[in-house]
Amino acid sequence: MRQQLMWIAWPAFLVAGLLEILVFAMVDPQDLHGFGGQRLEISRQAVYTVAFFVFWGLAMVSSVLTLLLARSPVEINQR
């Protein structure tokens, strides 16, 4: 179980870091606007932090789906 958790979390962490670098190399967090068109009044560091965890969560979902789809029918029927 721990090994599978690391198969999910570590690659997702690396991808989240890479996405953070790529996105914020092109986007200034101070220029972000909410859904109502109003400017977000939060610090840059808060935007970086929230974005990193969103990227990490999405990458973990991708890794979980990959592990689930890679399972053989024998593994699925054993549980």
Side-chain angles (χ1 to χ4, degrees):
M1 180 72 171
R2 277 189 198 169
Q3 185 178 21
Q4 287 183 342
L5 182 60
M6 287 310 296
W7 288 348
I8 294 167
W10 180 243
F13 179 84
L14 295 176
V15 168
L18 181 63
L19 280 172
E20 185 90 6
I21 291 168
L22 292 175
V23 167
F24 290 112
M26 295 180 267
V27 176
D28 182 11
Q30 295 298 311
D31 292 338
L32 296 177
H33 296 278
F35 291 112
Q38 60 190 10
R39 191 165 175 228
L40 297 177
E41 297 297 329
I42 56 177
S43 69
R44 286 178 186 219
Q45 189 171 11
V47 173
Y48 292 143
T49 302
V50 170
F52 176 80
F53 284 112
V54 168
F55 294 152
W56 195 11
L58 291 173
M60 282 200 294
V61 168
S62 173
S63 295
V64 166
L65 289 174
T66 300
L67 279 179
L68 288 175
L69 292 173
R71 293 173 63 186
S72 70
V74 173
E75 289 176 316
I76 293 171
N77 291 328
Q78 283 180 346
R79 295 179 188 210

